[in-house]
């Protein structure tokens, strides 16, 4: 429900706001609100059940008895993602081995977890949570927080709770916390994302993904035929039966394919189609038309299974990585290829 969504946002704002502290201080500052949430806002209704809330309260009440839990959560988070330590100016340069004994670090750890404690105990007061969020809603985006940071923080919290509670943190409790953290990320993503990171409701692509894919493709598109050929050769070697879908060279030895005219025609066709789809990504209607055309021409007449498209996407990613495509661009490619595969060959 939106209630827990809002509650968790409040608790983690302390984590985000700490990034702007000056050395030697533990003061948490909050910007003015940019998002208004009402008590009857239930856009995420059904995401978290009453039983989830009950379990979260119960397990948290057990865990908070150990004063070591707050610093362990923050320490594990920074240890797993050391790049984030620089965002905490009050202990940005403290060696990891000394963090658990550093006053600024400990103060921040208890600040974060104190907020979490307050809101978990207030889950039933939707009006209160709404008011708190309206006071703190503007603290997220200006401080550079991203959805993935909250996901990572949630995963570490779950890990520490599992160790602290042992058998009490059973599968049901773990799922309740997963649901709660998912509610958190769902709720704050709208505040954290820039316009270029918002996906089109029809294509599911973001301007950021389109830019990354088109830019990186432009650098290698001159070699598209050789790229596609390398993918096909590897695919046929991995899964020989996939070659049978191409009747004109189904019986040709794989190593002899580069010399086969029909094979090279098919490679050129696939490479050009891939180039056309990538070039059209910025035109929603043309993009959807290309995907629908691929789906129509490949599914009923040739019955190519979804696995082959997944294999092609995987092998293309391998080639892109070998070509030196950046990590950020690779993330965009993964998202785009997943959408393409789902469009051309939806899961049954």
């Amino acid at each position: 429900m939106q209630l827990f969504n809002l509650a968790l946002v409040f608790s983690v704002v302390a984590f985000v706001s700490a990034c702007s502290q000056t050395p030697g201080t533990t003061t948490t500052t909050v910007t003015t609100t940019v998002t208004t949430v009402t008590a009857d806002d239930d856009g995420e209704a059904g995401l978290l059940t009453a039983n989830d809330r009950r379990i979260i309260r119960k397990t948290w009440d057990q865990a908070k008895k150990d004063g070591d839990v707050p610093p362990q959560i923050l320490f594990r988070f920074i240890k797993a993602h050391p790049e984030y330590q620089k965002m905490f100016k009050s202990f940005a340069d403290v060696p990891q081995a000394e963090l658990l004994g550093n006053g600024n670090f400990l103060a921040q750890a208890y600040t974060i977890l104190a907020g979490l404690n307050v809101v978990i105990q207030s889950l039933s007061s939707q009006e209160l949570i709404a008011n708190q969020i309206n006071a703190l809603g503007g603290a997220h985006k200006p401080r550079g927080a991203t959805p993935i940071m909250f996901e990572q923080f949630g995963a570490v919290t779950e890990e520490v709770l599992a160790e602290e509670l042992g058998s009490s943190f059973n599968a049901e409790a773990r799922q309740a916390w997963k649901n709660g953290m998912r509610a958190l990320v769902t709720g704050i993503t709208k505040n954290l994302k820039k316009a270029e990171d918002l996906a089109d409701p029809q294509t599911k692509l973001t301007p950021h993904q389109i830019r990354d894919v088109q830019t990186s493709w432009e650098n290698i598109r001159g070699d598209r035929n050789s790229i596609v050929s390398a993918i096909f050769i590897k695919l046929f070697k991995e899964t020989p039966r996939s070659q049978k879908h191409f009747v004109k060279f189904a019986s040709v030895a794989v190593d002899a394919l580069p010399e086969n005219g029909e094979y090279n025609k098919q490679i050129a066709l696939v490479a050009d189609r891939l180039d056309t789809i990538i070039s059209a990504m910025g035109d929603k209607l043309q993009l959807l038309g290309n995907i629908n055309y691929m789906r129509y021409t490949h599914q009923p007449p040739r019955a190519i299974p979804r696995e082959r498209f997944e294999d092609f996407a995987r092998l293309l990613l391998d080639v892109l990585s070998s070509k030196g495509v950046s990590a950020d661009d690779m993330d965009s490619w993964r998202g785009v290829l997943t959408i393409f595969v789902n469009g051309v060959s939806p899961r049954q």
Side-chain angles (χ1 to χ4, degrees):
M1 292 183 179
Q2 185 73 10
L3 170 61
F4 190 76
N5 176 342
L6 303 181
L8 281 176
V9 174
F10 172 68
S11 69
V12 188
V13 166
F15 156 63
V16 179
S17 62
C19 301
S20 65
Q21 292 180 11
T22 55
T25 69
T26 56
T27 302
T28 299
T29 57
V30 178
T31 62
T32 56
T33 181
V34 296
T35 302
T36 300
V37 180
T38 61
D40 59 356
D41 186 352
D42 60 353
E44 299 299 328
L47 190 58
L48 199 68
T49 66
N51 189 52
D52 285 336
R53 297 196 300 272
R54 179 188 64 78
I55 292 173
I56 289 169
R57 288 195 196 96
K58 180 180 178 180
T59 51
W60 181 248
D61 284 343
Q62 292 175 307
K64 71 179 183 180
K65 294 177 182 178
D66 185 346
D68 193 43
V69 167
Q72 277 299 321
I73 291 177
L74 184 56
F75 178 73
R76 295 277 190 90
F77 177 71
I78 290 175
K79 186 176 181 180
H81 309 283
E83 67 274 17
Y84 295 151
Q85 185 175 346
K86 293 298 182 182
M87 301 177 70
F88 295 88
K89 295 183 179 180
S90 62
F91 52 88
D93 298 319
V94 176
Q96 276 194 9
E98 300 176 12
L99 284 175
L100 288 173
N102 181 273
N104 287 327
F105 171 85
L106 293 174
Q108 186 55 46
Y110 287 108
T111 297
I112 294 172
L113 275 299
L116 182 57
N117 179 61
V118 169
V119 295
I120 287 178
Q121 300 308 320
S122 304
L123 287 177
S124 60
S125 178
Q126 192 166 356
E127 188 68 39
L128 174 61
I129 298 302
N131 290 337
Q132 291 171 333
I133 290 302
N134 285 334
L136 296 170
H140 300 75
K141 187 174 179 179
R143 303 188 190 284
T146 62
I148 188 63
M149 290 172 62
F150 290 92
E151 292 176 0
Q152 293 164 340
F153 188 81
V156 171
T157 299
E158 180 185 320
E159 174 186 306
V160 173
L161 290 176
E163 293 181 9
E164 177 67 23
L165 299 177
S167 60
S168 296
F169 199 73
N170 55 24
E172 187 179 29
R174 187 180 294 274
Q175 189 59 53
W177 277 88
K178 285 185 183 296
N179 293 344
M181 290 302 172
R182 186 168 66 248
L184 162 69
V185 175
T186 299
I188 67 172
T189 292
K190 296 173 185 176
N191 286 331
L192 298 181
K193 285 189 173 181
K194 301 176 182 178
E196 67 172 8
D197 294 320
L198 297 176
D200 181 273
Q202 288 182 288
T203 66
K204 309 302 181 185
L205 297 177
T206 70
H208 180 89
Q209 288 175 315
I210 292 173
R211 184 195 66 228
D212 286 351
V213 169
Q214 288 184 330
T215 300
S216 55
W217 178 251
E218 186 61 31
N219 293 330
I220 59 175
R221 66 185 296 269
D223 295 327
R224 59 185 181 275
N225 283 26
S226 61
I227 289 173
V228 171
S229 182
I231 291 173
F232 269 58
I233 295 296
K234 191 167 184 178
L235 177 61
F236 294 161
K237 288 183 176 180
E238 285 185 357
T239 313
R241 63 180 177 275
S242 61
Q243 188 176 342
K244 302 302 180 183
H245 294 296
F246 302 90
V247 294
K248 293 183 178 180
F249 51 87
S251 301
V252 178
V254 174
D255 291 336
L257 285 173
E259 307 302 323
N260 183 275
E262 293 298 334
Y263 169 78
N264 286 314
K265 288 180 182 178
Q266 183 65 38
I267 292 300
L269 179 64
V270 173
D272 286 345
R273 176 58 59 183
L274 181 61
D275 185 55
T276 297
I277 291 175
I278 293 172
S279 299
M281 286 172 59
D283 185 325
K284 179 166 63 176
L285 292 180
Q286 189 175 353
L287 174 62
L288 292 173
N290 279 316
I291 292 177
N292 288 333
Y293 174 77
M294 290 284 291
R295 181 177 179 181
Y296 173 78
T297 55
H298 287 75
Q299 289 306 297
R302 302 173 71 177
I304 297 179
R306 176 185 171 89
E307 289 79 6
R308 297 295 78 78
F309 292 100
E310 292 175 333
D311 289 338
F312 185 91
R314 170 177 56 82
L315 295 172
L316 176 55
L317 288 172
D318 288 345
V319 173
L320 293 171
S321 180
S322 70
K323 293 284 187 179
V325 174
S326 71
D328 185 57
D329 287 357
M330 287 294 291
D331 285 340
S332 293
W333 272 98
R334 290 186 188 94
V336 167
L337 289 174
T338 297
I339 291 169
F340 284 176
V341 171
N342 288 338
V344 175
S345 184
R347 292 187 183 278
Q348 299 300 317

